[in-house]
Amino acid sequence: MAEQMMAADGRTLKSSLNRALRRQKLRALLLITPLLLFILITFVVPIGQMLFRSVENQIVGDTIPRTVEALADWDAATDPVPDEDVFRAFAADMMVAVEERIHTRLGSRLNYETAGISSQFRRSGRDVEDMGEDLTAQFTALDPAWQDPATWIALMADPDWIADSATAQTEPAFIISDAARDALPRTADIYADFARVTQVINTDSPTEEQPWNVVYIALYQDLIANPAPQIAGAPDGLLGAAGAAVAGFVAPDMRAAFVDSDAGWGSTATWQTIQTYSPAYTSSYFLNSVDLKQTPDGIEIAPENQQIYVKLFIRTLIMSLTIMVSCILLGYPVAWMLANLPSRQANLMLILVLLPFWTSLLVRTSAWKVLLQQQGVINDLLVWVGLVGDESRLTMINNATGTIIAMTHILLPFMILPLYSVMKTIPPSYLRAAKSLGATNWTAFWRVYFPQSVPGIGAGSILVFILSIGYYITPEIVGGTSGIFISNRIAYHISSSLNWGLAAALGTILLAVVLALYWAYDRIVGIDNVKLGG
């Protein structure tokens, strides 16, 4: 067996080399770690959050959990409007949501699917506090102790919490006793929310506040189901007397109370919307993004007057391709001149190409709005030279034409610079050699020069296309209704309608389209053929 070579540190040469390589890789990793963290924080995490928002729908289940559970077995075909148990659960959820001031957020979410629900939540949010007050009056008429907060503490509170509250300087978070949950489950459930809201939201103590009316409704339901509950520490005879008396109480009609508050609660469509969108995750945002709609009967095509997103996606792709082609046609001759002029003239011309970068994008776009309007400089010039009549001025603003012209000007440098960097590397001797062999100027250009400039066209095309597909400032200012991009709708849903789920779905689809086109370009042309010079 051959003797292994040893390094100066006493290890084998192979072991020392592996150790040195590991250290080298570790140093390289430490050098790029800040960049990796920056990309992770500013790019990967936001995209992940966008993807999550496009399917996230937890607001329904988190805001009205009792209602979602009660609606699980509801069938609109057999019962157009849910039964009383659903409305009682909804009253409890609404009371909590109103106190936490989140009921309007839920209304806004459901309003994206069915118009008018938002106003239902606002109206009933103002009325829910008084719903069930007749039942509360019946309990207090039976025994005034029912309106005493101390009675409810004795019934609901855990003994350890009572002991801790007596000695603590700050009242601890309320704890429901196990006995109360066993004997009066519905009452304990809603009273726990009442105590939490009282302590956290209202910064008061449940020992000093009478419970909500919905707590009495839950107590009524529990006593109907079990007229003789047993809770250690409850006032003598209080539960027994109430259990014997509730059968003669006038039952609260919560369905009628909600319908009186807003007639929409008597509509089947309202409850179908709540039931359909109660899961924690939904595909509705993506369906809406392609002009479809999720309904209780399945996926349906949106009404014709609401079908806008597919048209916007197609318009965005077509106009982005048009802008890209325009930039190639205008930028190629300029790049060729830059690459072939003497250095002095080329440098001056390059400064002119870069000059737009020294001017605000908003200023450049606003300037085009002035130039392109019917009474603007361009139309005045055309009328002056006689190309168009004064009564036939061209409409070049607030339409697709204005968007294409303005964005071609703005994105042209992104085409010229990659072309110039590639053309600068093409030796002029190649053209001279082709001509010396008998090629015409056109043949020499087309067969020799142009193929070598294709990598620059590819690089510029990718830059211009990807930048244009995501633009929204320029189309918003000069595009009008026929010249806006899908990015304008994304911006609208983020800043105005606050439908972030739909904005995230639209953004996700746009990202997928760009990646698909990038993949197609790589398969057809080859991304390795894209160069920025060298």
Side-chain angles (χ1 to χ4, degrees), residues 50-51 54 286 289 313 486 490 500-514:
M50 179 187 71
L51 293 171
S54 64
F286 282 102
S289 298
F313 274 114
I486 191 65
I490 295 174
W500 287 12
L502 181 55
L506 291 170
T508 302
I509 293 175
L510 186 61
L511 175 63
V513 168
V514 171

Side-chain angles (χ1 to χ4, degrees), residues 29-44:
L29 179 61
L30 291 176
L31 287 173
I32 65 172
T33 295
L35 177 61
L36 291 175
L37 290 175
F38 177 79
I39 293 174
L40 180 66
I41 294 172
T42 62
F43 185 74
V44 177

Side-chain angles (χ1 to χ4, degrees), residues 73-82 268-269 271-272 275 296-297:
D73 299 326
W74 174 63
D75 185 1
T78 57
D79 187 5
V81 181
T268 304
W271 295 101
Q272 284 181 320
Q275 186 183 54
D297 299 325

Side-chain angles (χ1 to χ4, degrees), residues 241-520:
V246 290
F249 283 3
V250 177
D253 190 345
M254 301 308 295
R255 174 159 34 180
F258 273 100
V259 172
D260 287 343
S261 175
D262 191 294
W265 298 117
S267 169
T268 304
T270 297
W271 295 101
Q272 284 181 320
T273 300
I274 295 175
Q275 186 183 54
T276 301
Y277 296 98
S278 59
Y281 300 97
T282 180
S283 61
S284 65
Y285 294 124
F286 282 102
L287 293 175
N288 293 341
S289 298
V290 291
D291 296 331
L292 299 176
K293 190 173 182 65
Q294 183 177 345
T295 69
D297 299 325
I299 298 174
E300 298 178 357
I301 299 176
E304 188 174 353
N305 62 346
Q306 298 178 14
Q307 296 177 17
I308 61 173
Y309 295 115
V310 172
K311 295 178 183 177
L312 277 176
F313 274 114
I314 295 174
R315 179 196 296 170
T316 300
L317 292 175
I318 292 175
M319 291 181 65
S320 296
L321 288 171
T322 304
I323 293 165
M324 182 189 74
V325 172
S326 300
C327 287
I328 293 174
L329 296 176
L330 294 174
Y332 197 96
V334 175
W336 184 87
M337 291 178 64
L338 283 170
N340 291 278
L341 282 174
S343 297
R344 186 181 184 88
Q345 290 90 332
N347 290 336
L348 178 60
M349 194 171 179
L350 186 60
I351 291 174
L352 295 177
V353 170
L354 296 174
L355 191 61
F357 288 129
W358 305 339
T359 309
S360 167
L361 172 62
L362 190 60
V363 172
R364 282 179 280 162
T365 304
S366 300
W368 276 112
K369 192 172 183 69
V370 174
L371 291 171
L372 295 174
Q373 60 185 315
Q374 285 190 306
Q375 302 300 321
V377 175
I378 294 178
N379 265 304
D380 286 344
L381 180 62
L382 294 175
V383 171
W384 181 69
V385 299
L387 292 178
V388 298
D390 190 52
E391 69 285 351
S392 305
R393 288 173 175 262
L394 301 179
T395 304
M396 296 182 291
I397 198 68
N398 295 330
N399 53 27
T401 303
T403 299
I404 292 172
I405 293 173
M407 288 186 61
T408 298
H409 166 252
I410 290 169
L411 296 176
L412 190 57
F414 294 98
M415 178 65 71
I416 293 174
L417 294 176
L419 280 170
Y420 167 66
S421 66
V422 171
M423 290 177 177
K424 195 67 175 174
T425 65
I426 301 175
S429 59
Y430 287 4
L431 287 176
R432 293 195 296 269
K435 292 177 183 178
S436 68
L437 294 173
T440 63
N441 288 334
W442 170 251
T443 302
F445 168 77
W446 185 248
R447 299 288 296 276
V448 176
Y449 193 88
F450 181 78
Q452 295 183 79
S453 67
V454 167
I457 295 176
S461 298
I462 289 177
L463 277 174
V464 170
F465 181 78
I466 291 179
L467 286 173
S468 63
I469 206 172
Y471 253 58
Y472 72 95
I473 294 178
T474 302
E476 184 72 23
I477 295 176
V478 301
T481 57
S482 63
I484 62 171
F485 285 7
I486 191 65
S487 52
N488 295 101
R489 297 304 298 176
I490 295 174
Y492 166 76
H493 287 305
I494 289 176
S495 61
S496 298
S497 73
L498 302 182
N499 191 349
W500 287 12
L502 181 55
L506 291 170
T508 302
I509 293 175
L510 186 61
L511 175 63
V513 168
V514 171
L515 292 176
L517 292 173
Y518 184 84
W519 175 84

